Amino acid sequence: MLFRKINMNLNNNKHRKRRRGQGTTDVAETTFQIEMEVKAIRGRPHWQLVWRGYSVASSYQNGSHATSIVNVSDQNNFPSLNFSKVKSYSAESTSPLF
């Protein structure tokens, strides 16, 4: 999966006053690349969505680029997602779904 965020509100005036907690950014575009794999679980009717890779690439106004690769091997921070077939479902709900 590839997600791209383009910053449309780039400040060309870098000497403008900044409010506390707000700053100007020179990131023109950020790309998030997520790699996942669907795997069968042995002896169970369920499937797993497993993290394989995650990286963030930033392109700056001055033309430079930076890429950060995130370590997804830690199961506490990036757990596998288990799912199974839905036998029946309803288009309406009588209570909030949590």
Side-chain angles (χ1 to χ4, degrees), residues 11 22 33 37 46-47 51-52 56 68 70-71 76 85 97:
N11 272 340
Q22 296 177 347
Q33 184 173 354
E37 178 183 0
H46 305 292
W47 292 79
W51 289 86
R52 289 292 166 221
V56 180
S68 299
V70 180
N71 181 8
N76 292 326
K85 292 190 281 184
L97 302 174

Side-chain angles (χ1 to χ4, degrees), residues 2 5-6 8 13 15 17 19-20 32 36-37 44-45 52 54 61-62 64 76 81 83 86 88 90 92 94-95:
L2 189 68
K5 177 185 175 192
I6 299 173
M8 302 302 275
N13 186 2
H15 301 291
K17 288 186 180 180
R19 291 185 181 178
R20 185 177 205 158
F32 303 91
M36 300 187 102
E37 178 183 0
R44 296 185 182 181
R52 289 292 166 221
Y54 178 49
Q61 281 181 319
N62 63 7
S64 64
N76 292 326
L81 306 170
F83 58 97
V86 176
S88 66
S90 174
E92 296 181 17
T94 58
S95 62

Side-chain angles (χ1 to χ4, degrees), residues 15-32:
H15 301 291
R16 188 176 175 184
K17 288 186 180 180
R18 297 180 199 168
R19 291 185 181 178
R20 185 177 205 158
Q22 296 177 347
T24 58
T25 179
D26 60 346
V27 177
E29 181 178 301
T30 306
T31 305
F32 303 91

